[in-house]
Amino acid sequence: MRYDVVVVGGGPIGGFVAKNIAEKGYNTAIFEEHKRIGTPLKCAGLVTPRVFDFFNFSKNKVVENKIYGANFHSPCGDVLTIGGNKLHALVIDRPQFDQEIMNKANDAGVELRLGSKAISGIKNADKIELEIKEECKVSKIKSFLLIGADGPHSKIRKTFDFPQPTEFLKGIGAKATDINLDPKYVEIFLGRNIAPGFFAWAIPTNKEGTEARIGLCIDETSKYTLKQCFNNLIKQKIFKNIKIKNHIAGTIPLGALKKTTTSNVMLVGDAAAQVKPTSGGGIYPGLICARHCSSIAIDSLENYNYSSRYLRRYHALWNNEIGKELNRGMIFRKIIKNLDDNKIDKYLNKINNTKNIDIICNYGDIDYPSKLAFPLLKKNPSFVRLLPSAFKNNTKR
Ligand SMILES: Cc1cc2nc3c(=O)[nH]c(=O)nc-3n(C[C@H](O)[C@H](O)[C@H](O)COP(=O)(O)OP(=O)(O)OC[C@H]3O[C@@H](n4cnc5c(N)ncnc54)[C@H](O)[C@@H]3O)c2cc1C
């Protein structure tokens, strides 16, 4: 079988890239190892409204709830409340979101092959040959371009010798019912017993605040397993009497790759670790990069040029738009990651005053956290002491 473009991975990023390319009339296929789009679920489903600027389907089909603020719970139990007046984020039905994108890809003429796993690939002359396993049958397919949108453990990244992400967070989550949350606020929990190296969350998914997605991520410094951390999380007072179902688990890659193209091949989305290091959110930055990926793919097809040099413009374009923000995010992440519980308590306490909260409300943006750094530092010069920890090595605690 021959295609102009093969996309490996039927997540939101692969679906969006394939749709854009097929709209220009190129013979495009997606190979997705699972039999259903959007499953298994590996996401908390919190995005900014900007995500919908990429699509022309109605928000109403996928938005479950609207978020206006956040309550940050420090390890000692203090609570810092931010926001409340302005819409900051949307809670989405992630499987339905992925399906809507795939419907658009289908309308554009993309051939979607479910239950089809890419197992190996080589470059041969000016084409890519990919081996695909469907049930027990292995077949070979050829294409001018191969786009790896195959998530955090990307097979395409490994097969074509791309660099690896700097680190991988492990995540766990579940659906909680019989809970009593303010539906306008997400709850964020910090501390080494609950979410060592990252944070835990409770995201209300209905307008009554009686249902939520709860979860957490940990990094390699954790001395607890994911399950132990999850059990510690649900001991919090706020989760008394809740019922838990539908456990999920997943990985978040951090540290966007320094190389995302080689001849005939491009990487995008989680496969390229195009993820916000401070929140683990990959949908928005992934879509930005996907837009550049598809436009360079189309350009290279129009000009019959699939060389590494030609495709490299994709790397430059996404870096120009979002690369700096992702790199700054890695610096903030290192600072936060190196704080022990006492320091987290101390700094949340320092932030907890009207002036700082106003600054966060004015400049805080989940997609662009660096916008907040300078105004916060200006108001709190002592925070500069945190900077050296961005360059400290991390050890197990
Ligand atoms: C616990 C958790 C919570 C998260 N919460 C949020 C959140 O609230 N907001 C947010 O923006 N982001 C969140 N993320 C991150 C977000 O889920 C990802 O950034 C996003 O899914 C990336 O999309 P993608 O299309 O690049 O990759 P994926 O969604 O991972 O899609 C990759 C696809 O490739 C397929 N695949 C993999 N290997 C192969 C192969 N060899 N052959 C064929 N198919 C293959 C997979 O089955 C999958 O369908 C979370 C992640 C985790 C783990």
Side-chain angles (χ1 to χ4, degrees), residues 149-365:
D150 49 344
H153 303 292
S154 171
K155 181 76 188 170
I156 303 305
R157 187 175 69 222
K158 281 177 212 141
T159 305
F160 290 91
D161 279 336
F162 283 97
Q164 291 297 306
T166 312
E167 62 174 319
F168 293 93
L169 302 176
K170 289 191 280 184
I172 187 170
K175 184 174 173 172
T177 58
D178 297 29
I179 194 166
N180 185 15
L181 297 179
D182 183 330
K184 288 182 167 181
Y185 286 79
V186 290
E187 308 294 326
I188 303 290
F189 301 85
L190 301 161
R192 299 207 71 84
N193 286 338
I194 293 179
F198 211 61
F199 62 84
W201 58 84
I203 301 171
T205 53
N206 66 359
K207 290 175 184 65
E208 295 74 38
T210 54
E211 291 179 3
R213 274 196 281 278
I214 64 172
L216 60 95
C217 282
I218 62 175
D219 70 4
E220 79 293 344
T221 65
S222 176
K223 58 181 184 186
Y224 301 114
T225 64
L226 272 177
K227 192 85 183 88
Q228 285 169 328
C229 290
F230 190 81
N231 288 339
N232 291 342
L233 172 67
I234 58 178
K235 280 183 201 144
Q236 301 289 305
K237 239 194 296 172
I238 193 171
F239 296 130
K240 211 173 159 207
N241 300 328
I242 60 165
K243 293 198 176 73
I244 298 285
K245 52 184 179 180
N246 304 350
H247 273 284
I248 63 157
T251 303
I252 297 182
L254 299 182
L257 302 197
K258 297 280 174 270
K259 181 181 175 200
T260 49
T261 59
T262 183
S263 48
N264 304 70
V265 187
M266 294 193 258
L267 290 184
V268 66
D270 272 23
Q274 290 158 336
V275 176
K276 289 173 278 177
T278 42
S279 67
I283 297 176
Y284 176 68
L287 288 171
I288 287 183
C289 299
R291 196 162 49 191
H292 293 303
C293 179
S294 46
S295 78
I296 295 301
I298 291 163
D299 191 38
S300 81
L301 288 158
E302 277 167 3
N303 292 292
Y304 307 98
N305 190 339
Y306 317 107
S307 66
S308 173
R309 195 155 167 219
Y310 209 76
L311 298 182
R312 213 179 293 150
R313 284 175 306 141
Y314 154 61
H315 189 80
L317 285 170
W318 74 255
N319 248 300
N320 215 13
E321 188 168 353
I322 194 93
K324 225 184 238 171
E325 183 65 38
L326 298 184
N327 291 339
R328 285 182 193 140
M330 279 307 271
I331 295 175
F332 301 143
R333 153 136 190 84
K334 277 194 104 182
I335 292 173
I336 297 164
K337 177 182 165 126
N338 279 314
L339 296 178
D340 61 24
D341 282 3
N342 289 336
K343 290 225 171 85
I344 296 174
D345 287 336
K346 181 176 136 189
Y347 281 102
L348 278 191
N349 195 12
K350 278 191 170 186
I351 289 174
N352 205 349
N353 60 57
T354 323
K355 280 199 176 146
N356 279 332
I357 290 174
D358 283 350
I359 290 173
I360 298 173
C361 291
N362 283 336
Y363 295 94
D365 184 328

Side-chain angles (χ1 to χ4, degrees), residues 13 25 32 39 43 74-75 82 103 130 135 143 157 178 186 215 219 230 234 273 298 302 304 330 377 390:
I13 307 306
E32 164 55 50
T39 56
C43 185
S74 71
I82 304 287
N103 293 346
L130 206 58
E135 304 286 347
S143 64
R157 187 175 69 222
D178 297 29
V186 290
D219 70 4
F230 190 81
I234 58 178
I298 291 163
E302 277 167 3
Y304 307 98
M330 279 307 271
L377 210 56

